């Protein structure tokens, strides 16, 4: 069997004495679709931030395809094949959609040459052609010339996915991709993600929408107060007493 | 061409080049108040190598750019460790250090100023301004434009996508210094006399202001800003003492209602400027 696409071992993080991620270990196999769920404030986004290097880990290891990445600078981790989206959309609103997507390719631009081509004047070639085909993959090409800032929330969420895909990742981390989408849009998004998964992409998805998780993911990891409390298929998770307590305990106060 | 008009056009060319020197840091969200200092380095370098070493005009220009770029690269490490208002203070200090250095160098006349023997006429500044503008417009069509806009908006995300923020900041700082120096060289050889007192922080601030009016999100912004800054005071000449008041009021109005400057998409529909302004101050 090949090495896991992503593996966390004993990862810890605290902020000013508050332990936010504690001794979290899990692994995501190549091509797998894994959901990371948990109540608000459980530490899910922080796990993404630790994987991508927004913060250094306090303890533990992160490996991607057998390569230790937790000691790499954040800028270099995308070169290990890890790309992500953000819970609160972080695009450049004053740039066209297509330019936002082109930024995703930044880690592939080495040396001076990629900066010399006047891509804006070259029409449909090079970086723009590629960005357009990535947009087409998720059915967004009609927005390519619009400013990212003016578009609806759900569209902007998906532009972030296009930007991440531009990096040619082997694993994609999505932070609540279905948030703000209606049922139809969410179903469409999960179809798109399944297609990408069939093409070999590994997915790790933070999501509150359980229907979405059910449609898409083959494995689920549950965090609560920074600890992993359960792991398995969604059906198994639903029966887990710890998980029930975590969700019910929170919603009752 | 009358001497008066020629003088204004040369000032326009110099302002355009300086405008790009201010535009580059602004395009990544930095305020560099040291532009006039690098302009001074360019002016004095160009004057010295043409006066004392007999270099031709064009080599004076290249020397100015090279010396300022090297100086910028050397000072970049401590200066670029600061951000925001501290970067403004650091470059402010840098500007004043450079200015007082020239004020105290005997070779260049100290406070008495320094005559520049080689005279450029209008063609040379026009050519240089045209080349600089073309290069900047070209770069605005490349990936560089995307990277700069992304760094300005969100350094953390740019970094996660592989942008080397420190390197981008260094390149912007050095290129900006080189452009300011080019402007200084043009200034020296047209006005034939330079004195350290000219290159104050106030000159840096004025340059930044007209670039802000022109627009910091399009490569055409500095040109529009330079046009306004060069011609408006002339058009307002009849209003006498009031012209600077009018001009200043205009700048304030722009910063309040239209911070992205003239060259950027305008909202459509009546009242939308006001609506956006109210919306912003939530
Ligand atoms: N940079 C930080 N500094 C201090 N505390 C932080 C920081 N980042 C996250 N936290 C805290 O860590 C906890 C977990 O946050 P995190 O964003 O990872 O939760 P989450 O599981 O993604 O929640 P949600 O479902 O609401 O997005 C929260 O209590 C949050 O306030
Ligand atoms: Mg979160």
């Amino acid at each position: 069997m090949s090495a896991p696409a992503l593996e966390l071992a004993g990862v810890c993080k605290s902020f000013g004495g508050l332990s936010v991620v504690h001794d979290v270990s899990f692994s995501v196999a190549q091509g797998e679709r894994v959901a990371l769920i948990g109540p608000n404030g459980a530490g899910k986004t922080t796990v993404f931030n630790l994987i991508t290097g927004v913060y250094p880990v306090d303890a533990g290891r992160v490996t991607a395809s057998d390569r230790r990445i937790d000691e790499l600078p954040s800028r270099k981790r995308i070169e290990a094949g890890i790309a992500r989206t953000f819970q609160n959309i972080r695009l450049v609103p004053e740039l066209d959609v297509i330019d936002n997507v082109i930024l995703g390719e930044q880690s592939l631009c080495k040396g001076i040459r990629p900066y010399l081509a006047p891509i804006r004047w070259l029409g449909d070639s090079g970086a723009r052609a590629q960005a357009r085909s990535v947009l087409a993959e998720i059915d967004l090409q009609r927005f390519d010339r619009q400013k990212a800032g003016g578009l609806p929330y759900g569209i902007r969420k998906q532009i972030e996915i296009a930007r991440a895909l531009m990096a040619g990742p082997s694993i994609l981390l999505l932070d609540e991709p279905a948030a703000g989408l209606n049922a139809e849009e969410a179903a469409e998004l999960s179809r798109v993600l399944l297609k990408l998964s069939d093409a070999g992409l590994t997915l790790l998805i933070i999501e509150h929408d359980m229907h979405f998780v059910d449609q898409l993911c083959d494995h689920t990891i549950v965090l609560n107060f920074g600890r992993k409390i359960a792991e398995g298929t969604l059906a198994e998770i639903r029966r887990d007493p710890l998980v029930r307590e975590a969700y019910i305990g929170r919603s009752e106060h | 061409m009358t001497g008066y008009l020629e003088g204004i056009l040369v000032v326009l060319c110099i302002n355009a080049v300086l405008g790009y020197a201010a535009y580059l840091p602004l395009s990544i969200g930095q305020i560099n108040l040291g532009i006039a200092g690098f302009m001074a380095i360019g002016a004095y370098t160009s004057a010295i190598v043409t006066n004392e070493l007999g270099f031709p005009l064009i080599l004076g220009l290249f020397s100015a750019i090279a010396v300022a770029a090297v100086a910028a690269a050397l000072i970049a490490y401590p200066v670029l460790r600061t951000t925001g208002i501290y970067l403004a203070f650091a470059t402010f200090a840098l500007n004043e250090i450079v200015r007082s250095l020239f004020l105290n160098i005997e070779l260049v006349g100290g406070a008495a100023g320094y005559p520049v023997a080689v005279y450029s006429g209008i063609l040379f500044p026009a050519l240089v301004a045209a080349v600089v503008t073309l290069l900047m417009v070209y770069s605005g069509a490349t990936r560089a434009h995307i990277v700069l806009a992304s760094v300005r908006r969100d350094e953390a995300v740019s970094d996660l996508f592989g942008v080397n923020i420190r390197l981008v900041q260094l390149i912007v700082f050095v290129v900006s210094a080189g452009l300011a120096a080019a402007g200084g060289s043009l200034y020296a050889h047209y006005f034939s006399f330079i004195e350290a007192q000219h290159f104050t922080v106030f000159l840096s601030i004025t340059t930044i202001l007209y670039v802000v009016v022109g627009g910091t999100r399009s490569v055409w912004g500095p040109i529009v800003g330079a046009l306004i800054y060069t011609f408006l005071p002339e058009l307002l000449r009849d209003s006498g003492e009031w012209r600077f008041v009018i001009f200043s009021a205009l700048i304030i109005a722009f910063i309040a209602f239209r911070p992205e400057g003239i060259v950027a998409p305008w909202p459509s529909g009546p009242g939308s400027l006001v609506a956006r302004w109210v919306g912003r101050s939530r």
Side-chain angles (χ1 to χ4, degrees):
Chain A
M1 244 199 79
S2 59
L6 181 71
E7 187 165 28
L8 274 69
V11 168
C12 299
K13 183 70 192 176
S14 24
F15 291 110
L18 176 73
S19 173
V20 169
V21 171
H22 189 80
D23 195 21
V24 167
S25 305
F26 63 81
S27 82
V28 180
Q30 305 279 359
E32 208 180 4
R33 299 183 296 271
V34 175
L36 184 60
I37 67 169
N40 290 116
K44 306 179 295 294
T45 298
T46 305
V47 166
F48 273 20
N49 285 339
L50 293 171
I51 295 169
T52 54
V54 175
Y55 313 119
V57 297
D58 290 346
R61 274 179 295 116
V62 183
T63 47
S65 307
D66 264 350
R67 177 170 171 208
R68 180 114 186 236
I69 62 165
D70 55 273
E71 282 158 350
L72 287 177
S74 49
R75 172 165 62 86
K76 294 281 180 194
R77 297 197 192 185
I78 194 163
E79 290 174 24
I82 299 168
R84 70 175 286 189
T85 65
F86 300 87
Q87 183 171 356
N88 48 336
I89 297 168
R90 289 166 83 172
L91 295 167
V92 186
E94 63 270 20
L95 283 184
D96 288 354
V97 167
I98 189 129
D99 290 341
N100 271 286
V101 175
I102 287 173
L103 183 84
E105 199 185 38
Q106 198 53 36
S107 60
L108 309 173
C109 298
K110 301 284 181 203
I112 186 93
R113 280 200 59 181
Y115 297 91
L116 297 181
I119 52 179
R120 190 193 295 262
W121 298 337
L122 293 180
D124 258 336
S125 62
R128 281 173 90 84
Q130 210 195 325
R132 225 183 292 278
S133 80
V134 168
L135 281 168
E137 254 181 90
I138 51 181
D139 204 22
L140 289 177
Q141 69 276 40
R142 65 190 179 284
F143 296 111
D144 62 351
R145 293 291 177 83
Q146 298 194 32
K147 298 269 176 264
L151 294 168
Y153 183 86
I155 303 292
R156 282 185 286 143
K157 278 229 90 126
Q158 297 185 55
I159 292 167
E160 278 212 339
I161 298 179
R163 177 175 67 182
L165 288 174
M166 222 22 209
S170 52
I171 175 162
L172 186 58
L173 312 184
L174 302 174
D175 199 338
E176 302 195 13
L181 302 190
N182 62 35
E184 195 185 319
E185 290 166 335
E188 174 58 30
L189 178 62
S190 86
R191 264 196 301 279
V192 167
L193 292 176
L194 270 176
K195 201 174 73 188
L196 290 167
S197 164
D198 286 343
L201 188 65
T202 307
L203 298 172
L204 178 60
I205 304 174
I206 295 175
E207 191 48 74
H208 285 292
D209 179 345
M210 284 308 127
H211 182 65
F212 187 83
V213 169
D214 207 14
Q215 279 179 329
L216 191 60
C217 299
D218 19 52
H219 192 82
T220 300
I221 295 161
V222 189
L223 286 188
N224 190 29
F225 290 119
R227 290 166 194 268
K228 186 176 86 175
I229 57 168
E231 165 161 32
T233 65
L234 198 56
E236 288 163 357
I237 297 287
R238 284 203 165 109
R239 286 194 298 270
D240 191 301
L242 271 178
V243 174
R244 302 185 132 202
E245 196 191 299
Y247 275 93
I248 296 165
R250 292 271 181 115
S251 55
E252 269 182 353
H253 60 218
Chain B
M1 199 179 328
T2 66
Y4 170 69
L5 184 60
E6 183 186 287
I8 294 179
L9 288 179
V10 172
V11 169
L12 172 65
C13 293
I14 296 170
N15 284 346
V17 174
L18 281 184
Y20 282 119
Y23 166 83
L24 276 176
L26 287 172
S27 74
I28 56 168
Q30 290 186 335
I31 297 213
N32 180 344
L33 294 179
I35 290 160
F38 289 112
M39 187 186 177
I41 292 177
Y44 279 101
T45 302
S46 202
I48 292 169
V49 298
T50 51
N51 278 359
E52 316 290 335
L53 305 177
F55 279 23
L57 198 54
I58 182 85
L59 282 185
L61 175 76
F62 288 155
S63 311
I65 295 172
V67 169
V70 169
L74 291 177
I75 199 73
Y77 182 71
V79 169
L80 292 179
R81 288 175 66 93
T82 60
T83 56
I85 191 77
Y86 300 102
L87 178 68
F89 288 148
T91 49
F92 183 118
L94 181 63
N95 199 101
E96 293 312 284
I97 290 168
V98 170
R99 198 167 59 84
S100 32
L101 272 180
F102 285 116
L103 208 51
N104 290 298
I105 296 178
E106 279 312 316
L107 170 70
V108 293
Y114 188 49
V116 185
V118 177
Y119 174 70
S120 71
I122 184 175
L123 234 53
F124 186 68
L127 203 73
V128 172
V131 168
V132 167
T133 305
L134 280 178
L135 284 176
M136 293 300 297
V137 169
Y138 184 89
S139 79
T142 68
R143 194 185 291 275
H145 181 71
I146 298 173
V147 172
L148 296 183
S150 175
V151 169
R152 171 183 53 205
R153 174 58 61 172
D154 198 327
E155 284 187 9
V157 168
S158 308
D159 169 83
L160 288 181
F161 278 98
V163 176
N164 187 337
I165 306 285
R166 292 266 164 260
L167 183 62
V168 169
Q169 289 173 339
L170 176 67
I171 291 172
V172 163
F173 192 66
V174 168
V175 174
S176 161
L179 287 173
S185 170
L186 298 184
Y187 177 88
H189 294 291
Y190 187 78
F191 292 101
S192 304
F193 185 79
I194 49 180
E195 50 182 340
Q197 287 315 331
H198 179 71
F199 305 100
T200 60
V201 162
F202 186 70
L203 179 61
S204 303
I205 294 174
T206 317
T207 309
I208 288 170
L209 283 179
Y210 71 74
V211 172
V212 166
V213 168
T216 56
R217 296 190 182 168
S218 157
V219 284
W220 294 105
I223 292 290
V224 172
L227 278 167
I228 292 175
Y229 179 66
T230 310
F231 285 110
L232 198 65
E234 299 301 325
L235 295 178
L236 294 176
R237 199 170 272 282
D238 288 341
S239 29
E241 297 287 292
W242 286 97
R243 67 186 171 131
F244 291 110
V245 177
I246 297 173
F247 185 70
S248 309
L250 222 116
I251 285 178
I252 293 171
F254 254 96
I255 291 167
F257 293 101
R258 181 76 188 157
E260 62 271 63
I262 294 175
V263 193
W266 283 78
S268 50
S272 42
L273 263 186
V274 178
R276 272 178 3 142
W277 186 65
V278 173
R280 260 191 321 128
S281 45
R282 83 199 109 95

